[in-house]
């Protein structure tokens, strides 16, 4: 039986740890068991209980303080993640092997992890070897998406993670509760964007003709292949959270392996059938 994982990724401060904590509570309220693993070696605080914490393996502060390494915060994080990639056994032991486990991985925010460094792809491959079905959940702060050129950059960042990780990916705009009513209305056009018409809007923002042509080509590519869509995530809106969860579950086929009971063979002449009992297997005596 498979296990299921959400790899919660996205730029620094986009709301990954808050998402994990909110989603964990949401799953709990649906009586679904789930757990969170912190994979951010620089995490200072988060308000969810952890199943495993990478800081037990390595911490950024220790790396930065090491006189033989002399890393700054970003180099330190890259070092930690490479160390992690060489020690996946630690994660394997922490996860154990419980069938049907549903785990949220709270990842660090350094964007280079999702552009050119191999560690997140290695993690995905390792999880797949452990029979996890993995979905990338890419978060972007909605406040940085209300202008066309910012939106296009956000789309490119999401796309970069998709290309690197090669797993199903659900893209989410976070912190919707912080938007003004005007901005909320404005953002609707970015949730299911028509990139071609967006390109027309943006002409004033892109000053160089050369870049306008490039942006137009990128917009066309994204639109033609329906490559990137965003879903809103408002932690105060249960209904919206459900829709996000359903999309994620669908992408990793969560629930499809739940045991199905064959309906019992019935004689034509049997009267007073209780179909509920038959289908639930309770008709057996
Ligand atoms: N109002 C509001 N604030 C949010 C939401 N999500 C996150 N925040 C706030 O945004 C800040 C950053 O959130 P985090 O969840 O720590 O973001 P992160 O992506 O884990 O950050 P890093 O791990 O540092 O990359 C915190 O102050 C959160 O309280 C949201 O949906 N609504
Ligand atoms: Mg975090």
């Amino acid at each position: 039986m498979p296990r299921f994982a959400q790899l919660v990724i996205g730029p620094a401060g986009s709301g990954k740890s808050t998402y994990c904590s909110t989603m964990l509570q949401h799953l709990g309220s649906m009586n679904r068991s789930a757990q969170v693993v912190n994979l951010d070696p620089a995490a200072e605080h988060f308000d969810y209980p952890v199943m495993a914490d990478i800081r037990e393996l390595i911490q950024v502060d220790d790396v930065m303080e090491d006189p033989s390494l002399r890393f700054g915060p970003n180099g330190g994080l890259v070092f930690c993640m490479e160390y992690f990639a060489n020690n996946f056994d630690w994660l394997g032991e922490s996860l154990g092997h419980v069938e049907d486990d549903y785990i949220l991985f709270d990842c660090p925010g350094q964007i280079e992890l999702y552009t050119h460094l191999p560690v997140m792809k290695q993690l995905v491959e390792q999880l797949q070897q452990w029979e996890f079905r993995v979905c990338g959940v890419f978060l972007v702060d909605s406040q940085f998406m209300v202008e066309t050129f910012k939106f296009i950059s956000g789309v490119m960042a999401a796309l970069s993670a998709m290309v690197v990780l090669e797993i199903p990916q659900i893209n989410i705009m976070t912190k919707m509760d912080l938007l003004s009513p005007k901005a909320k209305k404005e953002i609707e056009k970015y949730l299911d964007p028509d990139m071609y018409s967006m390109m027309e809007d943006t002409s004033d923002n892109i000053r160089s003709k050369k870049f306008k042509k490039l942006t137009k080509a990128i917009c066309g590519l994204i639109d033609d292949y329906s490559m990137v869509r965003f879903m809103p995530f408002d932690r105060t809106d249960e209904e919206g959270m459900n829709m996000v969860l359903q999309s994620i579950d669908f992408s990793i086929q969560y629930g499809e392996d739940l045991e199905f009971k064959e309906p019992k063979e019935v004689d034509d002449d049997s009267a007073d059938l209780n179909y509920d009992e038959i289908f639930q297997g309770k008709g057996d005596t």
Side-chain angles (χ1 to χ4, degrees):
M1 284 282 273
R3 295 187 274 176
F4 304 91
Q6 292 188 18
L7 205 61
V8 182
I9 57 181
S14 53
K16 298 177 291 298
S17 304
T18 309
Y19 167 91
C20 288
S21 149
T22 315
M23 190 48 92
L24 188 68
Q25 281 174 21
H26 183 67
L27 287 160
S29 72
M30 298 166 75
N31 279 333
R32 273 178 57 177
S33 96
Q35 278 161 306
V36 187
V37 171
N38 172 45
L39 288 186
D40 184 354
E44 302 235 312
H45 73 272
F46 38 77
D47 59 359
Y48 49 73
V50 280
M51 176 191 207
D53 186 342
I54 193 174
R55 293 175 306 171
E56 290 163 16
L57 179 74
I58 190 161
Q59 291 202 28
V60 167
D61 286 348
D62 293 344
V63 172
M64 285 167 63
E65 281 162 20
D66 189 318
S68 63
L69 296 171
R70 290 181 172 270
F71 279 120
N74 291 310
L77 181 119
V78 170
F79 179 89
C80 287
M81 295 312 281
E82 279 169 356
Y83 184 82
F84 168 58
N86 290 322
N87 290 278
F88 281 147
D89 290 355
W90 165 81
L91 184 63
E93 278 165 28
S94 308
L95 295 179
H97 199 294
V98 182
E99 282 182 1
D100 273 343
D101 245 5
Y102 198 105
I103 297 176
L104 313 177
F105 290 91
D106 184 7
C107 299
Q110 268 75 358
I111 201 72
E112 52 271 48
L113 292 173
Y114 317 110
T115 52
H116 57 278
L117 292 176
V119 47
M120 297 312 282
K121 175 71 178 164
Q122 288 165 345
L123 172 64
V124 165
E125 283 169 353
Q126 181 62 79
L127 289 172
Q128 286 169 339
Q129 272 176 28
W130 290 334
E131 292 187 66
F132 274 94
R133 292 189 195 154
V134 190
C135 174
V137 182
F138 189 88
L139 309 189
V140 191
D141 188 332
S142 56
Q143 296 173 93
F144 301 135
M145 298 287 270
V146 277
E147 282 167 86
T148 305
F149 66 99
K150 289 183 187 166
F151 177 75
I152 295 172
S153 303
V155 167
M156 302 276 278
L159 200 54
S160 162
M162 282 167 73
V163 168
V164 169
L165 298 179
E166 297 182 295
I167 47 176
Q169 182 169 304
I170 304 295
N171 302 306
I172 291 177
M173 285 194 202
T174 56
K175 310 191 194 180
M176 294 294 284
D177 55 302
L178 293 181
L179 294 179
S180 66
K182 185 170 169 267
K184 250 185 194 153
K185 221 170 162 28
E186 174 78 355
I187 212 149
E188 271 171 23
K189 76 173 180 209
Y190 297 110
L191 291 170
D192 190 12
D194 173 358
M195 301 298 283
Y196 281 105
S197 58
M198 201 171 274
M199 191 53 222
E200 297 310 317
D201 293 350
T202 187
S203 35
D204 290 342
N205 286 323
I206 298 164
R207 294 182 195 96
S208 152
K209 270 194 177 159
K210 211 156 77 184
F211 279 97
K212 191 174 166 186
K213 223 170 150 185
L214 172 67
T215 312
K216 205 170 188 169
I218 292 168
C219 285
L221 187 74
I222 290 165
D223 206 287
D224 290 351
Y225 290 89
S226 305
M227 284 201 280
V228 185
R229 290 281 176 278
F230 283 87
M231 299 187 78
F233 187 81
D234 180 343
R235 60 183 176 179
T236 58
D237 172 15
E238 290 274 319
E239 190 61 32
M241 276 172 21
N242 247 339
M243 282 168 67
V244 167
L245 182 61
Q246 273 172 18
S247 302
I248 295 168
D249 285 347
F250 183 72
S251 76
I252 48 178
Q253 295 149 12
Y254 173 83
E256 284 186 10
D257 298 300
L258 291 180
E259 264 180 40
F260 174 75
K261 291 208 166 113
E262 287 288 330
K264 200 177 106 178
E265 296 241 341
V266 246
D267 304 330
D268 284 347
D269 55 349
S270 55
D272 298 331
L273 286 176
N274 182 337
Y275 286 100
D276 283 346
E277 283 186 354
I278 290 167
F279 278 92
Q280 287 163 15
K282 289 179 192 157
D284 301 342
T285 44

